[in-house]
Amino acid sequence: MTDQVVLPPLRRNVASRESVRVASVPAGHVYVRHCADPRGADGVVRLTDPRPNGAPSTSQRWWPPVMLDPAWVDAHHDEFDVFHLHFGFDAQGPAALHRLVEALRRHGKPLVYTVHDLRNPHQADPGPHRDALDVLVPAANELITLTPGAADEIAARWNRTPTVLPHPHVVGAPLIDRPRPPRDGFRVGVHAKSLRPNMAVLPVVRALAESLTDLADAELAVNIHREVGDPDAHAHDPSTMVALEDLAGRGLLTLRVHDYFDDEQLWEYLGGLDLSVLPYTFGTHSGWLEACHDLGTLVAAPDCGYYAQQRPCLSYGHSQHGGLDADSLHEVVEWAYRTRPRWRATAEGRAAERTRIAAAHRQLYTELLG
């Protein structure tokens, strides 16, 4: 377990402004929403995500982000003071991002970029995201990232020094202090989702099935989205489904095939696990890990990326180039089974952290505006 993020001290003598208007891409994502002071005391007003073309009026969908269009910047530049980019530029090539940067500069709008991902978990080819970062990181007036390791990598690659701010809570405050449901046994979970490119599910599941064989009252629960078994879906992967169904048929795991969970279903699922194993082979940070920390579910994260610097968790060897170190995964599972640690956030601690995160964002924006 690596040292966790410590919030930097707030600097004094920051120029005061009544409010700061931020065009945040996106605004509705849970990470961005929880970077705001819950009492509204930070004086930061984030513009609502414009609805993409074709989205119904009742939709909360923010992707693809309309604000990334330079024409939107030209038409709405007098409505915001700072442009803050987080996610959603997957489909934007370097030329499009250069045009966005030029539009912001044309109207004198500073760009803040939070580097959540140094490697995009949704893209098998690292090239497009690398090319996007080569535009955004040098162009940003200020950078933020979530862990010291990511900050060091940014410094090494681009000679830029980001502000390091921790990921805020994901789960709502009332649930953070709610007692975990009592139950017997030891449940290990792998959520395969829709088999996004950074997942190597079957090697991890097979190693876990072997690890749990000799542990009394231990079970392996594997969840996967229904579209993986749908021949008409983009995520269709019949070989993975057949392999998981075979393991389930042999009594080595329980397999649950379902549609996407809503938040309530997801929190119930995570709260029912003793250990959530992330089967990632590349990536940088994880909101899933943060949700588990909110709910008191232990996480085993791969040693790629900087997951271990986010919150207390266990690490095992797994990467795209090195493959799976099954022995280290076995050791992690056995230790968790014997020790049963309860590394969990508190509502009070998360609230205080969120207030500091919000104040740090406000300070950064205000200093940029002079």
Side-chain angles (χ1 to χ4, degrees), residues 5-12 31 33-44 46 144-145 163-169 311 347-365:
V5 176
V6 177
L7 279 159
L10 296 179
R11 296 181 292 277
R12 300 189 181 278
Y31 172 93
R33 288 189 284 108
H34 290 178
C35 283
D37 188 293
R39 304 159 299 173
D42 56 349
V44 174
R46 291 174 173 86
I144 297 171
T145 194
T163 298
V164 178
L165 298 175
H167 196 300
H169 68 98
R311 301 294 166 187
E348 181 181 7
R350 282 295 213 181
E353 180 183 65
R354 178 170 168 176
T355 298
R356 291 286 308 280
I357 292 170
H361 278 83
R362 162 70 190 217
Q363 177 173 275
L364 185 148
Y365 297 150

mmCIF file of all heavy atoms in Angstrom, residues 5-12 31 33-44 46 144-145 163-169 311 347-365:
data_model
loop_
_atom_site.group_PDB
_atom_site.id
_atom_site.type_symbol
_atom_site.label_atom_id
_atom_site.label_comp_id
_atom_site.label_asym_id
_atom_site.label_seq_id
_atom_site.Cartn_x
_atom_site.Cartn_y
_atom_site.Cartn_z
ATOM 1 N N VAL A 5 -2.727 10.422 -0.993
ATOM 2 C CA VAL A 5 -2.619 11.826 -1.366
ATOM 3 C C VAL A 5 -2.924 12.714 -0.169
ATOM 4 O O VAL A 5 -3.867 12.472 0.581
ATOM 5 C CB VAL A 5 -3.599 12.157 -2.511
ATOM 6 C CG1 VAL A 5 -3.561 13.624 -2.851
ATOM 7 C CG2 VAL A 5 -3.270 11.319 -3.732
ATOM 8 N N VAL A 6 -2.108 13.745 0.004
ATOM 9 C CA VAL A 6 -2.346 14.751 1.039
ATOM 10 C C VAL A 6 -2.637 16.066 0.336
ATOM 11 O O VAL A 6 -1.888 16.495 -0.544
ATOM 12 C CB VAL A 6 -1.118 14.907 1.967
ATOM 13 C CG1 VAL A 6 -1.371 16.013 2.981
ATOM 14 C CG2 VAL A 6 -0.819 13.593 2.672
ATOM 15 N N LEU A 7 -3.731 16.698 0.692
ATOM 16 C CA LEU A 7 -4.095 17.960 0.054
ATOM 17 C C LEU A 7 -3.054 19.029 0.326
ATOM 18 O O LEU A 7 -2.575 19.174 1.454
ATOM 19 C CB LEU A 7 -5.454 18.437 0.574
ATOM 20 C CG LEU A 7 -6.667 17.779 -0.077
ATOM 21 C CD1 LEU A 7 -7.872 17.917 0.826
ATOM 22 C CD2 LEU A 7 -6.942 18.396 -1.430
ATOM 23 N N PRO A 8 -2.670 19.803 -0.693
ATOM 24 C CA PRO A 8 -1.695 20.873 -0.470
ATOM 25 C C PRO A 8 -2.316 21.999 0.344
ATOM 26 O O PRO A 8 -3.537 22.199 0.316
ATOM 27 C CB PRO A 8 -1.373 21.340 -1.897
ATOM 28 C CG PRO A 8 -2.592 21.005 -2.687
ATOM 29 C CD PRO A 8 -3.134 19.739 -2.084
ATOM 30 N N PRO A 9 -1.488 22.749 1.068
ATOM 31 C CA PRO A 9 -2.041 23.875 1.835
ATOM 32 C C PRO A 9 -2.565 24.954 0.919
ATOM 33 O O PRO A 9 -2.026 25.187 -0.174
ATOM 34 C CB PRO A 9 -0.822 24.372 2.636
ATOM 35 C CG PRO A 9 0.365 23.935 1.836
ATOM 36 C CD PRO A 9 -0.024 22.633 1.197
ATOM 37 N N LEU A 10 -3.630 25.609 1.346
ATOM 38 C CA LEU A 10 -4.179 26.713 0.567
ATOM 39 C C LEU A 10 -3.300 27.944 0.738
ATOM 40 O O LEU A 10 -2.869 28.277 1.836
ATOM 41 C CB LEU A 10 -5.606 27.023 1.026
ATOM 42 C CG LEU A 10 -6.622 25.901 0.794
ATOM 43 C CD1 LEU A 10 -7.978 26.334 1.318
ATOM 44 C CD2 LEU A 10 -6.722 25.551 -0.670
ATOM 45 N N ARG A 11 -3.029 28.632 -0.370
ATOM 46 C CA ARG A 11 -2.221 29.844 -0.308
ATOM 47 C C ARG A 11 -3.112 31.038 0.027
ATOM 48 O O ARG A 11 -4.299 31.048 -0.273
ATOM 49 C CB ARG A 11 -1.519 30.061 -1.654
ATOM 50 C CG ARG A 11 -0.534 28.953 -1.980
ATOM 51 C CD ARG A 11 0.157 29.206 -3.314
ATOM 52 N NE ARG A 11 -0.754 29.093 -4.422
ATOM 53 C CZ ARG A 11 -1.091 27.952 -4.993
ATOM 54 N NH1 ARG A 11 -0.629 26.819 -4.522
ATOM 55 N NH2 ARG A 11 -1.927 27.931 -6.024
ATOM 56 N N ARG A 12 -2.528 32.033 0.624
ATOM 57 C CA ARG A 12 -3.285 33.209 1.045
ATOM 58 C C ARG A 12 -3.134 34.333 0.008
ATOM 59 O O ARG A 12 -2.424 34.200 -0.984
ATOM 60 C CB ARG A 12 -2.809 33.691 2.417
ATOM 61 C CG ARG A 12 -2.997 32.610 3.496
ATOM 62 C CD ARG A 12 -2.726 33.170 4.869
ATOM 63 N NE ARG A 12 -2.875 32.136 5.893
ATOM 64 C CZ ARG A 12 -4.032 31.754 6.406
ATOM 65 N NH1 ARG A 12 -5.141 32.319 6.003
ATOM 66 N NH2 ARG A 12 -4.084 30.812 7.322
ATOM 67 N N TYR A 31 -17.612 12.880 -10.508
ATOM 68 C CA TYR A 31 -16.345 13.457 -10.047
ATOM 69 C C TYR A 31 -16.428 14.976 -10.020
ATOM 70 O O TYR A 31 -16.056 15.624 -9.038
ATOM 71 C CB TYR A 31 -15.191 13.010 -10.950
ATOM 72 C CG TYR A 31 -13.890 13.722 -10.632
ATOM 73 C CD1 TYR A 31 -12.978 13.169 -9.745
ATOM 74 C CD2 TYR A 31 -13.596 14.967 -11.194
ATOM 75 C CE1 TYR A 31 -11.802 13.835 -9.431
ATOM 76 C CE2 TYR A 31 -12.425 15.631 -10.894
ATOM 77 C CZ TYR A 31 -11.531 15.066 -10.008
ATOM 78 O OH TYR A 31 -10.378 15.744 -9.700
ATOM 79 N N ARG A 33 -19.121 16.956 -10.099
ATOM 80 C CA ARG A 33 -20.135 17.431 -9.146
ATOM 81 C C ARG A 33 -19.586 17.441 -7.726
ATOM 82 O O ARG A 33 -19.886 18.345 -6.931
ATOM 83 C CB ARG A 33 -21.385 16.560 -9.223
ATOM 84 C CG ARG A 33 -22.201 16.778 -10.486
ATOM 85 C CD ARG A 33 -23.541 16.081 -10.435
ATOM 86 N NE ARG A 33 -23.454 14.643 -10.648
ATOM 87 C CZ ARG A 33 -23.632 13.713 -9.721
ATOM 88 N NH1 ARG A 33 -23.895 14.059 -8.464
ATOM 89 N NH2 ARG A 33 -23.555 12.430 -10.018
ATOM 90 N N HIS A 34 -18.772 16.455 -7.384
ATOM 91 C CA HIS A 34 -18.258 16.355 -6.020
ATOM 92 C C HIS A 34 -16.961 17.139 -5.811
ATOM 93 O O HIS A 34 -16.387 17.100 -4.728
ATOM 94 C CB HIS A 34 -18.078 14.885 -5.632
ATOM 95 C CG HIS A 34 -19.391 14.181 -5.449
ATOM 96 N ND1 HIS A 34 -19.482 12.848 -5.149
ATOM 97 C CD2 HIS A 34 -20.668 14.640 -5.509
ATOM 98 C CE1 HIS A 34 -20.761 12.502 -5.052
ATOM 99 N NE2 HIS A 34 -21.494 13.586 -5.272
ATOM 100 N N CYS A 35 -16.524 17.859 -6.836
ATOM 101 C CA CYS A 35 -15.446 18.836 -6.643
ATOM 102 C C CYS A 35 -15.999 20.191 -6.210
ATOM 103 O O CYS A 35 -15.238 21.120 -5.951
ATOM 104 C CB CYS A 35 -14.635 19.005 -7.929
ATOM 105 S SG CYS A 35 -13.484 17.659 -8.250
ATOM 106 N N ALA A 36 -17.309 20.301 -6.146
ATOM 107 C CA ALA A 36 -17.953 21.538 -5.703
ATOM 108 C C ALA A 36 -18.235 21.467 -4.216
ATOM 109 O O ALA A 36 -18.495 20.390 -3.666
ATOM 110 C CB ALA A 36 -19.262 21.747 -6.466
ATOM 111 N N ASP A 37 -18.199 22.595 -3.558
ATOM 112 C CA ASP A 37 -18.559 22.647 -2.147
ATOM 113 C C ASP A 37 -20.043 22.287 -2.007
ATOM 114 O O ASP A 37 -20.890 22.884 -2.695
ATOM 115 C CB ASP A 37 -18.299 24.054 -1.599
ATOM 116 C CG ASP A 37 -18.458 24.123 -0.086
ATOM 117 O OD1 ASP A 37 -19.596 23.957 0.403
ATOM 118 O OD2 ASP A 37 -17.450 24.335 0.594
ATOM 119 N N PRO A 38 -20.378 21.320 -1.148
ATOM 120 C CA PRO A 38 -21.781 20.898 -1.057
ATOM 121 C C PRO A 38 -22.717 21.993 -0.562
ATOM 122 O O PRO A 38 -23.922 21.950 -0.814
ATOM 123 C CB PRO A 38 -21.737 19.714 -0.084
ATOM 124 C CG PRO A 38 -20.477 19.887 0.690
ATOM 125 C CD PRO A 38 -19.507 20.542 -0.254
ATOM 126 N N ARG A 39 -22.171 23.005 0.118
ATOM 127 C CA ARG A 39 -22.989 24.115 0.614
ATOM 128 C C ARG A 39 -23.018 25.284 -0.372
ATOM 129 O O ARG A 39 -23.648 26.309 -0.110
ATOM 130 C CB ARG A 39 -22.446 24.611 1.956
ATOM 131 C CG ARG A 39 -22.350 23.529 3.028
ATOM 132 C CD ARG A 39 -21.368 23.935 4.102
ATOM 133 N NE ARG A 39 -20.034 24.108 3.526
ATOM 134 C CZ ARG A 39 -18.985 24.584 4.191
ATOM 135 N NH1 ARG A 39 -19.121 24.942 5.450
ATOM 136 N NH2 ARG A 39 -17.813 24.712 3.598
ATOM 137 N N GLY A 40 -22.289 25.144 -1.474
ATOM 138 C CA GLY A 40 -22.219 26.241 -2.439
ATOM 139 C C GLY A 40 -21.357 27.379 -1.976
ATOM 140 O O GLY A 40 -21.445 28.499 -2.495
ATOM 141 N N ALA A 41 -20.463 27.112 -1.010
ATOM 142 C CA ALA A 41 -19.680 28.187 -0.409
ATOM 143 C C ALA A 41 -18.414 28.517 -1.192
ATOM 144 O O ALA A 41 -17.699 29.450 -0.829
ATOM 145 C CB ALA A 41 -19.299 27.797 1.028
ATOM 146 N N ASP A 42 -18.119 27.756 -2.252
ATOM 147 C CA ASP A 42 -16.883 28.010 -2.989
ATOM 148 C C ASP A 42 -17.038 29.106 -4.036
ATOM 149 O O ASP A 42 -16.045 29.559 -4.612
ATOM 150 C CB ASP A 42 -16.368 26.726 -3.632
ATOM 151 C CG ASP A 42 -17.387 26.050 -4.539
ATOM 152 O OD1 ASP A 42 -18.562 26.467 -4.511
ATOM 153 O OD2 ASP A 42 -17.023 25.099 -5.255
ATOM 154 N N GLY A 43 -18.264 29.528 -4.318
ATOM 155 C CA GLY A 43 -18.461 30.598 -5.289
ATOM 156 C C GLY A 43 -18.138 30.206 -6.715
ATOM 157 O O GLY A 43 -17.883 31.067 -7.558
ATOM 158 N N VAL A 44 -18.138 28.907 -6.996
ATOM 159 C CA VAL A 44 -17.871 28.420 -8.348
ATOM 160 C C VAL A 44 -19.192 27.994 -8.977
ATOM 161 O O VAL A 44 -19.928 27.185 -8.404
ATOM 162 C CB VAL A 44 -16.877 27.247 -8.335
ATOM 163 C CG1 VAL A 44 -16.718 26.660 -9.732
ATOM 164 C CG2 VAL A 44 -15.526 27.705 -7.790
ATOM 165 N N ARG A 46 -20.678 26.183 -12.224
ATOM 166 C CA ARG A 46 -20.347 25.378 -13.396
ATOM 167 C C ARG A 46 -21.532 25.362 -14.356
ATOM 168 O O ARG A 46 -22.652 25.052 -13.950
ATOM 169 C CB ARG A 46 -19.959 23.961 -12.974
ATOM 170 C CG ARG A 46 -18.614 23.921 -12.223
ATOM 171 C CD ARG A 46 -18.288 22.552 -11.677
ATOM 172 N NE ARG A 46 -16.943 22.524 -11.111
ATOM 173 C CZ ARG A 46 -16.633 22.882 -9.856
ATOM 174 N NH1 ARG A 46 -17.596 23.293 -9.039
ATOM 175 N NH2 ARG A 46 -15.389 22.847 -9.430
ATOM 176 N N ILE A 144 -4.131 19.620 -13.189
ATOM 177 C CA ILE A 144 -4.446 18.913 -11.951
ATOM 178 C C ILE A 144 -4.333 17.429 -12.249
ATOM 179 O O ILE A 144 -4.634 16.988 -13.359
ATOM 180 C CB ILE A 144 -5.875 19.242 -11.464
ATOM 181 C CG1 ILE A 144 -6.015 20.731 -11.138
ATOM 182 C CG2 ILE A 144 -6.263 18.405 -10.237
ATOM 183 C CD1 ILE A 144 -7.450 21.173 -10.858
ATOM 184 N N THR A 145 -3.913 16.654 -11.285
ATOM 185 C CA THR A 145 -4.027 15.206 -11.378
ATOM 186 C C THR A 145 -4.316 14.664 -9.990
ATOM 187 O O THR A 145 -4.399 15.425 -9.025
ATOM 188 C CB THR A 145 -2.800 14.557 -12.033
ATOM 189 O OG1 THR A 145 -3.118 13.206 -12.394
ATOM 190 C CG2 THR A 145 -1.598 14.567 -11.100
ATOM 191 N N THR A 163 -0.966 20.341 -9.989
ATOM 192 C CA THR A 163 -1.465 20.314 -8.620
ATOM 193 C C THR A 163 -2.089 18.941 -8.372
ATOM 194 O O THR A 163 -2.858 18.457 -9.202
ATOM 195 C CB THR A 163 -2.533 21.404 -8.411
ATOM 196 O OG1 THR A 163 -1.930 22.682 -8.618
ATOM 197 C CG2 THR A 163 -3.118 21.342 -7.005
ATOM 198 N N VAL A 164 -1.753 18.312 -7.260
ATOM 199 C CA VAL A 164 -2.285 16.986 -6.938
ATOM 200 C C VAL A 164 -3.433 17.137 -5.948
ATOM 201 O O VAL A 164 -3.241 17.633 -4.834
ATOM 202 C CB VAL A 164 -1.192 16.067 -6.352
ATOM 203 C CG1 VAL A 164 -1.780 14.712 -5.986
ATOM 204 C CG2 VAL A 164 -0.053 15.893 -7.355
ATOM 205 N N LEU A 165 -4.621 16.742 -6.378
ATOM 206 C CA LEU A 165 -5.811 16.791 -5.534
ATOM 207 C C LEU A 165 -6.465 15.413 -5.542
ATOM 208 O O LEU A 165 -6.633 14.816 -6.610
ATOM 209 C CB LEU A 165 -6.816 17.829 -6.048
ATOM 210 C CG LEU A 165 -6.347 19.276 -6.074
ATOM 211 C CD1 LEU A 165 -7.405 20.167 -6.720
ATOM 212 C CD2 LEU A 165 -6.041 19.772 -4.666
ATOM 213 N N PRO A 166 -6.867 14.895 -4.398
ATOM 214 C CA PRO A 166 -7.449 13.553 -4.364
ATOM 215 C C PRO A 166 -8.814 13.504 -5.025
ATOM 216 O O PRO A 166 -9.495 14.513 -5.184
ATOM 217 C CB PRO A 166 -7.561 13.250 -2.866
ATOM 218 C CG PRO A 166 -7.617 14.588 -2.204
ATOM 219 C CD PRO A 166 -6.767 15.497 -3.051
ATOM 220 N N HIS A 167 -9.195 12.313 -5.412
ATOM 221 C CA HIS A 167 -10.529 12.058 -5.969
ATOM 222 C C HIS A 167 -11.551 12.238 -4.849
ATOM 223 O O HIS A 167 -11.403 11.663 -3.776
ATOM 224 C CB HIS A 167 -10.573 10.622 -6.491
ATOM 225 C CG HIS A 167 -11.707 10.310 -7.404
ATOM 226 N ND1 HIS A 167 -13.037 10.436 -7.018
ATOM 227 C CD2 HIS A 167 -11.731 9.837 -8.676
ATOM 228 C CE1 HIS A 167 -13.813 10.064 -8.019
ATOM 229 N NE2 HIS A 167 -13.054 9.708 -9.040
ATOM 230 N N PRO A 168 -12.600 13.023 -5.051
ATOM 231 C CA PRO A 168 -13.622 13.154 -4.009
ATOM 232 C C PRO A 168 -14.471 11.894 -3.912
ATOM 233 O O PRO A 168 -14.357 10.978 -4.740
ATOM 234 C CB PRO A 168 -14.457 14.345 -4.479
ATOM 235 C CG PRO A 168 -14.317 14.317 -5.972
ATOM 236 C CD PRO A 168 -12.918 13.828 -6.251
ATOM 237 N N HIS A 169 -15.318 11.853 -2.900
ATOM 238 C CA HIS A 169 -16.202 10.703 -2.712
ATOM 239 C C HIS A 169 -17.056 10.473 -3.945
ATOM 240 O O HIS A 169 -17.343 11.392 -4.723
ATOM 241 C CB HIS A 169 -17.078 10.905 -1.470
ATOM 242 C CG HIS A 169 -18.092 12.003 -1.604
ATOM 243 N ND1 HIS A 169 -19.402 11.774 -1.929
ATOM 244 C CD2 HIS A 169 -17.982 13.358 -1.466
ATOM 245 C CE1 HIS A 169 -20.064 12.922 -1.975
ATOM 246 N NE2 HIS A 169 -19.231 13.897 -1.704
ATOM 247 N N ARG A 311 -6.285 5.303 -2.578
ATOM 248 C CA ARG A 311 -6.856 4.945 -1.281
ATOM 249 C C ARG A 311 -6.215 3.641 -0.823
ATOM 250 O O ARG A 311 -5.623 2.914 -1.624
ATOM 251 C CB ARG A 311 -8.381 4.754 -1.386
ATOM 252 C CG ARG A 311 -9.137 5.969 -1.880
ATOM 253 C CD ARG A 311 -9.079 7.139 -0.920
ATOM 254 N NE ARG A 311 -9.536 8.369 -1.570
ATOM 255 C CZ ARG A 311 -9.471 9.576 -1.003
ATOM 256 N NH1 ARG A 311 -8.967 9.717 0.215
ATOM 257 N NH2 ARG A 311 -9.890 10.637 -1.659
ATOM 258 N N ALA A 347 -18.182 9.599 6.504
ATOM 259 C CA ALA A 347 -18.901 10.721 5.902
ATOM 260 C C ALA A 347 -18.273 12.040 6.331
ATOM 261 O O ALA A 347 -18.141 12.974 5.523
ATOM 262 C CB ALA A 347 -20.373 10.663 6.292
ATOM 263 N N GLU A 348 -17.877 12.130 7.579
ATOM 264 C CA GLU A 348 -17.261 13.366 8.083
ATOM 265 C C GLU A 348 -15.937 13.643 7.377
ATOM 266 O O GLU A 348 -15.651 14.769 6.956
ATOM 267 C CB GLU A 348 -17.038 13.257 9.587
ATOM 268 C CG GLU A 348 -16.415 14.497 10.204
ATOM 269 C CD GLU A 348 -16.187 14.357 11.708
ATOM 270 O OE1 GLU A 348 -16.385 13.244 12.244
ATOM 271 O OE2 GLU A 348 -15.809 15.359 12.348
ATOM 272 N N GLY A 349 -15.120 12.590 7.226
ATOM 273 C CA GLY A 349 -13.834 12.774 6.570
ATOM 274 C C GLY A 349 -13.984 13.139 5.104
ATOM 275 O O GLY A 349 -13.269 14.007 4.590
ATOM 276 N N ARG A 350 -14.916 12.488 4.428
ATOM 277 C CA ARG A 350 -15.135 12.794 3.017
ATOM 278 C C ARG A 350 -15.689 14.212 2.844
ATOM 279 O O ARG A 350 -15.346 14.915 1.887
ATOM 280 C CB ARG A 350 -16.090 11.772 2.399
ATOM 281 C CG ARG A 350 -15.464 10.424 2.052
ATOM 282 C CD ARG A 350 -14.423 10.536 0.964
ATOM 283 N NE ARG A 350 -14.387 9.345 0.107
ATOM 284 C CZ ARG A 350 -13.570 9.161 -0.906
ATOM 285 N NH1 ARG A 350 -12.683 10.104 -1.206
ATOM 286 N NH2 ARG A 350 -13.597 8.062 -1.643
ATOM 287 N N ALA A 351 -16.552 14.646 3.754
ATOM 288 C CA ALA A 351 -17.110 15.996 3.652
ATOM 289 C C ALA A 351 -16.015 17.044 3.818
ATOM 290 O O ALA A 351 -15.960 18.042 3.083
ATOM 291 C CB ALA A 351 -18.205 16.194 4.695
ATOM 292 N N ALA A 352 -15.132 16.820 4.797
ATOM 293 C CA ALA A 352 -14.031 17.766 5.012
ATOM 294 C C ALA A 352 -13.091 17.781 3.815
ATOM 295 O O ALA A 352 -12.627 18.844 3.373
ATOM 296 C CB ALA A 352 -13.278 17.391 6.287
ATOM 297 N N GLU A 353 -12.815 16.599 3.272
ATOM 298 C CA GLU A 353 -11.954 16.509 2.100
ATOM 299 C C GLU A 353 -12.583 17.236 0.911
ATOM 300 O O GLU A 353 -11.908 17.972 0.180
ATOM 301 C CB GLU A 353 -11.716 15.037 1.762
ATOM 302 C CG GLU A 353 -10.834 14.818 0.548
ATOM 303 C CD GLU A 353 -10.708 13.339 0.219
ATOM 304 O OE1 GLU A 353 -11.744 12.711 -0.139
ATOM 305 O OE2 GLU A 353 -9.598 12.802 0.325
ATOM 306 N N ARG A 354 -13.883 17.050 0.726
ATOM 307 C CA ARG A 354 -14.565 17.697 -0.401
ATOM 308 C C ARG A 354 -14.513 19.215 -0.267
ATOM 309 O O ARG A 354 -14.317 19.928 -1.263
ATOM 310 C CB ARG A 354 -16.012 17.211 -0.476
ATOM 311 C CG ARG A 354 -16.812 17.872 -1.575
ATOM 312 C CD ARG A 354 -18.149 17.204 -1.765
ATOM 313 N NE ARG A 354 -19.031 17.991 -2.620
ATOM 314 C CZ ARG A 354 -20.238 17.610 -3.008
ATOM 315 N NH1 ARG A 354 -20.725 16.435 -2.626
ATOM 316 N NH2 ARG A 354 -20.979 18.391 -3.784
ATOM 317 N N THR A 355 -14.671 19.713 0.934
ATOM 318 C CA THR A 355 -14.594 21.154 1.146
ATOM 319 C C THR A 355 -13.225 21.682 0.765
ATOM 320 O O THR A 355 -13.093 22.738 0.116
ATOM 321 C CB THR A 355 -14.917 21.485 2.608
ATOM 322 O OG1 THR A 355 -16.253 21.074 2.905
ATOM 323 C CG2 THR A 355 -14.782 22.976 2.878
ATOM 324 N N ARG A 356 -12.173 20.925 1.131
ATOM 325 C CA ARG A 356 -10.809 21.343 0.785
ATOM 326 C C ARG A 356 -10.582 21.258 -0.728
ATOM 327 O O ARG A 356 -9.926 22.132 -1.314
ATOM 328 C CB ARG A 356 -9.792 20.464 1.514
ATOM 329 C CG ARG A 356 -9.726 20.675 3.029
ATOM 330 C CD ARG A 356 -9.027 21.990 3.387
ATOM 331 N NE ARG A 356 -7.742 22.128 2.738
ATOM 332 C CZ ARG A 356 -6.607 21.546 3.172
ATOM 333 N NH1 ARG A 356 -6.625 20.781 4.262
ATOM 334 N NH2 ARG A 356 -5.479 21.733 2.526
ATOM 335 N N ILE A 357 -11.081 20.215 -1.353
ATOM 336 C CA ILE A 357 -10.930 20.075 -2.807
ATOM 337 C C ILE A 357 -11.613 21.237 -3.528
ATOM 338 O O ILE A 357 -11.063 21.823 -4.459
ATOM 339 C CB ILE A 357 -11.506 18.724 -3.274
ATOM 340 C CG1 ILE A 357 -10.643 17.567 -2.756
ATOM 341 C CG2 ILE A 357 -11.601 18.673 -4.794
ATOM 342 C CD1 ILE A 357 -11.276 16.202 -2.963
ATOM 343 N N ALA A 358 -12.831 21.567 -3.068
ATOM 344 C CA ALA A 358 -13.559 22.677 -3.678
ATOM 345 C C ALA A 358 -12.798 23.990 -3.502
ATOM 346 O O ALA A 358 -12.702 24.797 -4.442
ATOM 347 C CB ALA A 358 -14.953 22.780 -3.061
ATOM 348 N N ALA A 359 -12.260 24.209 -2.317
ATOM 349 C CA ALA A 359 -11.509 25.444 -2.065
ATOM 350 C C ALA A 359 -10.253 25.505 -2.919
ATOM 351 O O ALA A 359 -9.870 26.579 -3.414
ATOM 352 C CB ALA A 359 -11.147 25.532 -0.584
ATOM 353 N N ALA A 360 -9.591 24.360 -3.120
ATOM 354 C CA ALA A 360 -8.389 24.336 -3.942
ATOM 355 C C ALA A 360 -8.714 24.655 -5.394
ATOM 356 O O ALA A 360 -7.960 25.365 -6.077
ATOM 357 C CB ALA A 360 -7.715 22.969 -3.836
ATOM 358 N N HIS A 361 -9.843 24.150 -5.895
ATOM 359 C CA HIS A 361 -10.261 24.495 -7.257
ATOM 360 C C HIS A 361 -10.565 25.984 -7.374
ATOM 361 O O HIS A 361 -10.148 26.651 -8.333
ATOM 362 C CB HIS A 361 -11.489 23.676 -7.665
ATOM 363 C CG HIS A 361 -11.175 22.297 -8.145
ATOM 364 N ND1 HIS A 361 -10.964 21.242 -7.286
ATOM 365 C CD2 HIS A 361 -11.024 21.794 -9.403
ATOM 366 C CE1 HIS A 361 -10.704 20.155 -7.999
ATOM 367 N NE2 HIS A 361 -10.733 20.460 -9.269
ATOM 368 N N ARG A 362 -11.303 26.500 -6.412
ATOM 369 C CA ARG A 362 -11.643 27.931 -6.430
ATOM 370 C C ARG A 362 -10.371 28.781 -6.433
ATOM 371 O O ARG A 362 -10.249 29.750 -7.191
ATOM 372 C CB ARG A 362 -12.496 28.247 -5.193
ATOM 373 C CG ARG A 362 -12.578 29.720 -4.812
ATOM 374 C CD ARG A 362 -13.392 30.532 -5.800
ATOM 375 N NE ARG A 362 -13.267 31.956 -5.563
ATOM 376 C CZ ARG A 362 -14.250 32.823 -5.704
ATOM 377 N NH1 ARG A 362 -15.447 32.421 -6.040
ATOM 378 N NH2 ARG A 362 -14.042 34.107 -5.507
ATOM 379 N N GLN A 363 -9.410 28.388 -5.613
ATOM 380 C CA GLN A 363 -8.164 29.156 -5.537
ATOM 381 C C GLN A 363 -7.423 29.126 -6.869
ATOM 382 O O GLN A 363 -6.933 30.152 -7.344
ATOM 383 C CB GLN A 363 -7.280 28.582 -4.434
ATOM 384 C CG GLN A 363 -5.938 29.267 -4.313
ATOM 385 C CD GLN A 363 -5.176 28.775 -3.110
ATOM 386 O OE1 GLN A 363 -5.371 29.277 -2.008
ATOM 387 N NE2 GLN A 363 -4.328 27.783 -3.316
ATOM 388 N N LEU A 364 -7.356 27.958 -7.463
ATOM 389 C CA LEU A 364 -6.662 27.835 -8.733
ATOM 390 C C LEU A 364 -7.322 28.707 -9.803
ATOM 391 O O LEU A 364 -6.659 29.434 -10.548
ATOM 392 C CB LEU A 364 -6.618 26.364 -9.146
ATOM 393 C CG LEU A 364 -5.849 25.967 -10.397
ATOM 394 C CD1 LEU A 364 -5.271 24.571 -10.229
ATOM 395 C CD2 LEU A 364 -6.747 26.000 -11.625
ATOM 396 N N TYR A 365 -8.655 28.648 -9.882
ATOM 397 C CA TYR A 365 -9.371 29.472 -10.855
ATOM 398 C C TYR A 365 -9.125 30.963 -10.606
ATOM 399 O O TYR A 365 -8.871 31.733 -11.551
ATOM 400 C CB TYR A 365 -10.871 29.206 -10.757
ATOM 401 C CG TYR A 365 -11.330 27.805 -11.073
ATOM 402 C CD1 TYR A 365 -12.471 27.272 -10.448
ATOM 403 C CD2 TYR A 365 -10.658 26.991 -11.987
ATOM 404 C CE1 TYR A 365 -12.916 25.991 -10.737
ATOM 405 C CE2 TYR A 365 -11.109 25.705 -12.273
ATOM 406 C CZ TYR A 365 -12.226 25.215 -11.638
ATOM 407 O OH TYR A 365 -12.680 23.949 -11.901
#
